[in-house]
Amino acid sequence: MPVNPAGEQFTGDHDARGLRFAIVVSRFNRPITEKLLDAAQRTLADHGAQDVDIAWVPGAFEIPPVARRLARSGRYDAVICLGCVIKGETAHFEHVSREAASGIAAAASETGVPVIYQVLSVYDPAQAVARVTDEWNRGREGALAAIEMARLLKVLPA
Ligand code: INI
């Protein structure tokens, strides 16, 4: 027996028709990020999205300010962030991935617009390659999350 039988359940679906999306994608590790982008674009289109803008940035560290600006613009129902940080010989990887993650989370909470985090943080190139295959592509997951969140916000109380 539910505690509150009269309570509502709010869910988003994956109907992207009429929704507007922006994708922020970084050029660093471009062979990987291009595959994330390709899968995200294809997934959005497969679900009916026709309005998708793309902003390229140099590396994952530069994603948050651009994502925040796009989210604030009022033009998009969701912003999708795509990048790939691969561990090297120094601590650089940790700083870049931490700032990307926390900056993207802050962009979402500051603006109220879904800002989706699909910045791979991996220990070697093989882990990155494994996450952009036809069977499992994080770009696809990011697009689905963006659609679901955008749709959920349409049904939540104002
Ligand atoms: N940027 C990435 O997107 N991925 C990485 O793996 C990476 N590494 O390892 O250095 C990386 N560095 C660049 C960084 O994002 C900034 O572009 C640069 O520091 C300039 O601010």
Side-chain angles (χ1 to χ4, degrees):
M1 177 84 170
V3 175
N4 177 9
E8 293 222 42
Q9 282 198 40
F10 301 109
T11 54
D13 59 23
H14 288 130
D15 181 358
R17 288 173 298 172
L19 298 178
R20 297 163 305 170
F21 297 92
I23 301 176
V24 187
V25 56
S26 50
R27 276 195 307 275
F28 209 102
N29 294 317
R30 189 168 182 154
I32 301 295
T33 62
E34 272 177 348
K35 289 200 166 77
L36 291 170
L37 177 62
D38 186 54
Q41 286 183 288
R42 210 164 327 145
T43 303
L44 292 173
D46 286 350
H47 289 78
Q50 291 185 321
D51 191 346
V52 182
D53 293 337
I54 296 166
W56 284 92
V57 296
F61 196 79
E62 283 73 41
I63 290 174
V66 175
R68 190 180 300 113
R69 169 100 167 245
L70 292 169
R72 257 202 210 125
S73 71
R75 205 182 123 59
Y76 303 104
D77 295 293
V79 177
I80 302 166
C81 301
L82 304 174
C84 176
V85 188
I86 303 178
K87 186 171 169 41
E89 292 176 355
T90 69
H92 192 71
F93 144 94
E94 281 154 39
H95 300 308
V96 171
S97 53
R98 185 191 57 241
E99 291 306 317
S102 62
I104 289 167
S109 56
E110 281 167 19
T111 62
V113 173
V115 183
I116 302 301
Y117 171 71
Q118 278 298 359
V119 178
L120 306 181
S121 295
V122 295
Y123 293 112
D124 58 55
Q127 289 183 337
V129 169
R131 283 156 180 77
V132 293
T133 67
D134 289 342
E135 292 74 38
W136 180 31
N137 191 307
R138 291 285 199 178
R140 178 172 190 276
E141 290 180 6
L144 290 173
I147 299 167
E148 181 177 343
M149 285 299 294
R151 294 283 293 168
L152 175 61
L153 290 198
K154 299 251 181 243
V155 298
L156 287 179

